[in-house]
Amino acid sequence: MSATLDLDAVLADRHTRIVVCCGSGGVGKTTTAAALALRAAECGRRVCVLTIDPARRLAQSLGLVELDNTPRPVAGLDTSAGGHLDAMMLDMKRTFDEVVLAHASPDHAAQILANPFYQAVSSSFAGTQEYMAMEKLGQLRAQADRDGRWDLVVVDTPPSRSALDFLDAPKRLGSFLDGRFIRLISAPAKVGGRGALRLVNVGIGLVSKTLTTVLGGEMLRDVQTFVNALDTMFGGFRDRADQTYALLKDGGTAFVVVAAPERDALREASYFVARLDSDGMPLAGVVVNRLAPEPVAGLSAARARAAAETLEDAGHAGSAAVLTLHARLSDLAARQRNLVRRFTAGHPGIPVVTVAALAQDVHDLDGLREVGAGLAG
Amino acid sequence: MVTGKGGTGKTTVAAALALALAGRGARVLLAEVEDRQGISQAFDVPPLPPTEVPIVSYDHGGQVVGLAVDAKAALLEYLQLFYRLGRAGGVLERFGAIDFATTIAPGVRDVLLIGRVYEASRRRVDAKHHRHSDTSPLAYDAIVLDAPPTGRIGRFLTVGSEVAGLARMGPIRAQGDSVNELLTSPATRIHVVTLLEEMPVQETIDAVAELRGLGMAMGAIVVNQARLADGEDFPNASARAWAGAGAVADLTDWVDTLTADLPTVGIEPKPALVTGLVEQVRDHAAREDLERTHLDALQQLELPIVSVPALLDGIDPDALREIAGLLTDQGMAGRMTARATGRGTGGSR
């Protein structure tokens, strides 16, 4: 049997400075992040919660009309313990623009911001979100170190095709920036050089020719301009991505994997747990959300079903329906318990906490408090 | 195209839709683009390679062919097919250009993924002459794509025009234009899978507005794990009638009735049991009322609504067949087949 995940202890521990909620889509990741942030704030932590979701779900949960790229104080908080809560939603284009403005000279920055390739990349293409999420997390953490406004940052991971993209962002960026390809495209001479082997030159010729054929000369020139312009700021960009990655590996970070009591969601959770482990990321534990409520004790599903049939035949349709519902709820609860038991048996030593499903959707602070209380066990 | 908020069961619905179409005799390509191996898990078959693999074949000719589209494989295939770059492909790989294109360069990945599906949609049975002959039948009568979730679907589907906008000429431009033309043609329909919960319903409504704004043709709204539509689940008609017209009945009535009825079937009506049972009814009824308001909101979209009940035992091939039957009964596969046939006579672009 695995240990129970004690999230209150994780939140209360002043060494915990970042909580990352991850897991597959639709398991209540965003709600969990918001609920943990609220709970930590009402326990006296100074918290910033970062959500990355374009559907503005956190905004709904927090009862906020608008979240932009700046952390905003959440109203209606119980601040008696001395904590506070700011919430923000990632605006990836604005974050990217800020990075450009911070790292490039004004001339270069203007050139980059006007480049059509940059405009497409920064605002509409998939993949940018993961990079910018890492960047924003780094920024928030740095700001917290600088002005002390927050002592805890709670992050909701992007709804990417695979939540693991969040972890991969700095590495991909790093390998891209270090790769021969980027050097080739930005300045072919650097790769070849005067004394380079003929074979390499043949290779470069082929690559350049192919790129021109496939992309078309004009697009290639746009890409080259873009890459060259970005070149001036790449160093700082990569350093920060590396720093954020290191920060995630740090003891001050707690990863919380969120799952639902369904086969597919738990399979994703297993995958995620393994991946965090292989990356050496500190896993606090697993939250299994939305567990069906425990049916009333003292009547088995089989007996309820048999009795329902008899009652139905005797014309007591109402009572029969009540017992049929009970049988169904019992079956569902048993199935979910079984799935969770199998998961915990397969992951000995990983703390798990289960959270009961709420009858209502969460869209206000009280709802989040209720979720938070459930998370705390 | 089957999209939906993450966790709503879009892979299951896509797989069942492919089965339903194949059950009516169509040759169906079922493709996924998110590296999740959802298709192989749903059908309980070994992980799919990045090539087309038959999964289900019926005697009458209907077939489901699975494809886990892989961006890297798609790019190399594409280069091979259109540029015959046998050696250059390897060189590109060594220089990291393939990695760049498929993982780093945002957007290119989506173009490749959707481009691969586009290619399959145009392929004809006689592959050798596919560039010359437009008279042989299409390789597939229908293609079902387990598409990215609602949060990404607009971006995914417009990637053709995004790229076309960036590349003002050249083959990428042509490819982007063609993909865009197919996606906005009536041959493409987008189905959205949802649960009757607030967030998935809101995302469904947002996605329909976005996709309609992009000129895409919508298909059905698939309500998954529906409790309402099957009429079998509690509170069924008789129980609801018995409970009275109100959403939540007078709890005292329920307590009295159960206390009287339970002993007739040998169950002792202990107060804790009776109260517990009544509370279960109340909670369930409250949830159902909430679901009803969500369903009302979906009906405002004026799209066909198809419902799939919750299957407690999880998704396996039997469950898929059951859902496929339900989709067919509700007309989803019929409409698709009609379109697929129309496509077959359409000639090539």
Side-chain angles (χ1 to χ4, degrees):
Chain A
M1 183 61 202
S2 301
T4 300
L5 173 60
D6 185 351
L7 283 167
D8 267 352
V10 172
L11 297 177
D13 185 348
R14 295 277 156 174
H15 293 106
T16 308
R17 298 164 75 226
I18 296 176
V19 171
V20 184
C21 293
C22 46
S24 54
V27 294
K29 204 166 41 186
T30 308
T31 309
T32 300
L36 286 176
L38 177 63
R39 190 168 178 86
E42 296 195 329
C43 290
R45 299 293 302 261
R46 302 190 307 278
V47 188
C48 181
V49 59
L50 166 63
T51 187
I52 295 143
D53 193 274
R56 312 212 157 186
R57 290 178 282 179
L58 183 66
Q60 290 171 17
S61 304
L62 292 174
L64 294 180
V65 187
E66 193 191 354
L67 283 179
D68 54 21
N69 214 27
T70 315
R72 304 260 165 135
V74 175
L77 209 67
D78 174 4
T79 53
S80 58
H84 61 81
L85 175 62
D86 293 346
M88 71 158 286
M89 181 170 140
L90 183 75
D91 178 333
M92 62 177 176
K93 166 127 181 72
R94 209 183 296 188
T95 305
F96 211 146
D97 289 353
E98 285 165 11
V99 172
V100 171
L101 291 166
H103 290 278
S105 65
D107 280 0
H108 262 119
Q111 198 186 348
I112 294 168
L113 296 180
N115 183 286
F117 200 77
Y118 169 80
Q119 286 169 359
V121 163
S122 62
S123 59
S124 60
F125 279 147
T128 310
Q129 226 176 16
E130 284 76 24
Y131 301 146
M132 290 306 119
M134 296 298 293
E135 173 65 29
K136 198 71 203 178
L137 175 59
Q139 282 178 15
L140 291 173
R141 199 50 259 170
Q143 190 188 337
D145 288 343
R146 213 166 43 240
D147 66 12
R149 176 157 178 82
W150 308 298
D151 61 17
L152 178 66
V153 179
V154 179
V155 195
D156 162 38
T157 49
S160 39
R161 57 188 163 269
S162 148
L164 306 183
D165 286 359
F166 187 67
L167 283 181
D168 286 333
K171 254 195 247 163
R172 269 159 55 174
L173 192 62
S175 65
F176 166 55
L177 298 172
D178 290 335
R180 282 189 288 181
F181 181 71
I182 191 69
R183 281 179 281 151
L184 171 79
I185 205 171
S186 55
K190 281 188 207 163
V191 188
R194 200 164 283 177
L197 291 170
R198 194 169 157 265
L199 190 63
V200 174
N201 280 323
V202 170
I204 292 165
L206 257 177
V207 172
S208 298
K209 185 164 163 283
T210 306
L211 286 173
T212 312
T213 312
V214 177
L215 296 175
E218 201 169 355
M219 183 173 176
L220 186 61
R221 273 194 299 282
D222 276 347
V223 174
Q224 275 169 334
T225 315
F226 172 57
V227 168
N228 276 324
L230 280 178
D231 197 37
T232 51
M233 47 173 275
F234 271 161
F237 206 8
R238 180 188 35 205
D239 286 351
R240 290 165 67 133
D242 283 348
Q243 277 170 24
T244 310
Y245 187 77
L247 203 64
L248 291 176
K249 279 181 101 142
D250 189 70
T253 299
F255 278 86
V256 175
V257 173
V258 186
E262 287 148 23
R263 200 181 60 163
D264 292 350
L266 287 170
R267 191 193 285 122
E268 293 275 312
S270 293
Y271 184 50
F272 216 92
V273 164
R275 174 62 205 276
L276 288 170
D277 185 53
S278 72
D279 270 41
M281 294 286 167
L283 173 68
V286 177
V287 171
V288 183
N289 246 331
R290 300 181 176 178
L291 218 64
E294 201 63 25
V296 58
L299 183 60
S300 74
R303 194 151 171 234
R305 201 161 265 131
E309 247 176 67
T310 312
L311 285 168
E312 182 83 48
D313 291 345
H316 299 296
S319 292
V322 171
L323 292 186
T324 304
L325 173 67
H326 177 73
R328 286 179 176 221
L329 292 176
S330 302
D331 286 345
L332 179 64
R335 178 173 168 266
Q336 292 187 345
R337 270 198 307 273
N338 201 28
L339 285 169
V340 174
R341 191 166 55 234
R342 266 163 46 192
F343 180 83
T344 51
H347 299 86
I350 293 187
V352 174
V353 66
T354 56
V355 182
L358 298 179
Q360 302 278 328
D361 292 322
V362 174
H363 41 60
D364 57 14
L365 289 188
D366 281 340
L368 282 179
R369 284 189 189 102
E370 201 182 327
V371 174
L375 285 164
Chain B
M1 302 270 175
V2 180
T3 183
K5 180 179 178 297
T8 54
K10 66 187 175 60
T11 302
T12 301
V13 170
L17 178 57
L19 259 188
L21 292 164
R24 305 187 70 155
R27 285 156 305 160
V28 185
L29 177 67
L30 172 62
E32 64 179 317
V33 292
E34 303 228 295
D35 295 332
R36 283 175 46 240
Q37 285 294 334
I39 295 173
S40 63
Q41 283 166 16
F43 283 97
D44 202 14
V45 296
L48 298 178
T51 51
E52 291 156 46
V53 183
I55 300 179
V56 177
S57 297
Y58 291 106
D59 290 343
H60 55 54
Q63 194 178 34
V64 176
V65 174
L67 170 64
V69 185
D70 175 78
K72 204 161 164 172
L75 178 57
L76 289 171
E77 268 175 48
Y78 176 83
L79 293 175
Q80 196 55 41
L81 189 61
F82 291 99
Y83 303 103
R84 308 212 163 73
L85 299 167
R87 182 145 163 264
V91 174
L92 285 171
E93 171 91 69
R94 272 191 288 121
F95 270 87
I98 301 293
D99 275 341
F100 169 80
T102 54
T103 62
I104 310 288
V108 173
R109 185 189 168 80
D110 284 350
V111 174
L112 289 166
L113 296 174
I114 214 158
R116 178 69 179 78
V117 175
Y118 172 74
E119 181 271 318
S121 77
R122 306 184 65 216
R123 198 187 315 138
R124 293 186 181 271
V125 172
D126 192 356
K128 270 183 214 154
H129 305 292
H130 82 281
R131 297 189 78 182
H132 311 291
S133 160
D134 53 6
T135 50
S136 59
L138 288 166
Y140 295 107
D141 298 313
I143 295 183
V144 178
L145 178 62
D146 178 11
T150 37
R152 280 196 349 102
I153 187 71
R155 246 182 285 157
F156 180 75
L157 296 179
T158 50
V159 80
S161 50
E162 288 278 352
V163 165
L166 280 178
R168 286 175 288 275
M169 58 187 81
I172 290 264
R173 168 69 193 244
Q175 172 89 350
D177 282 343
S178 313
V179 166
N180 198 40
E181 195 184 326
L182 174 67
L183 292 180
T184 51
S185 82
T188 303
R189 292 279 155 150
I190 305 168
H191 302 294
V192 188
V193 184
T194 186
L195 308 176
L196 289 180
E197 291 171 15
E198 183 175 349
M199 306 283 185
V201 166
Q202 190 55 51
E203 285 200 19
T204 299
I205 292 168
D206 292 349
V208 169
E210 182 188 8
L211 294 168
R212 277 178 168 157
L214 292 169
M216 312 270 173
M218 299 305 300
I221 303 294
V222 182
V223 174
N224 198 11
Q225 300 176 26
R227 268 184 279 247
L228 289 174
D230 59 2
E232 191 193 319
D233 204 339
F234 185 88
N236 58 30
S238 60
R240 226 170 221 285
W242 178 73
V248 181
D250 184 339
L251 297 188
T252 328
D253 284 353
W254 290 85
V255 169
D256 292 349
T257 309
L258 281 171
T259 306
D261 286 351
L262 289 183
T264 67
V265 285
I267 297 170
E268 191 190 336
K270 288 181 186 160
L273 176 64
V274 171
T275 313
L277 288 172
V278 171
E279 279 169 1
Q280 284 174 189
V281 171
R282 184 197 57 201
D283 290 352
H284 193 86
R287 227 179 355 258
E288 200 195 57
D289 282 341
L290 202 60
E291 291 180 354
R292 217 170 271 281
T293 63
H294 293 320
L295 188 61
D296 288 345
L298 290 174
Q299 275 160 348
Q300 306 291 313
L301 295 171
E302 297 186 336
L303 290 171
I305 292 186
V306 169
S307 74
V308 176
L311 298 177
L312 287 188
D313 293 327
I315 295 308
D316 59 15
D318 286 336
L320 282 185
R321 271 190 287 276
E322 191 181 335
I323 298 171
L326 291 165
L327 297 182
T328 305
D329 291 348
Q330 294 175 74
M332 204 165 156
R335 286 196 296 272
M336 283 288 294
T337 303
R339 274 200 309 283
T341 309
R343 275 181 49 63
T345 59
S348 72
R349 247 179 286 270

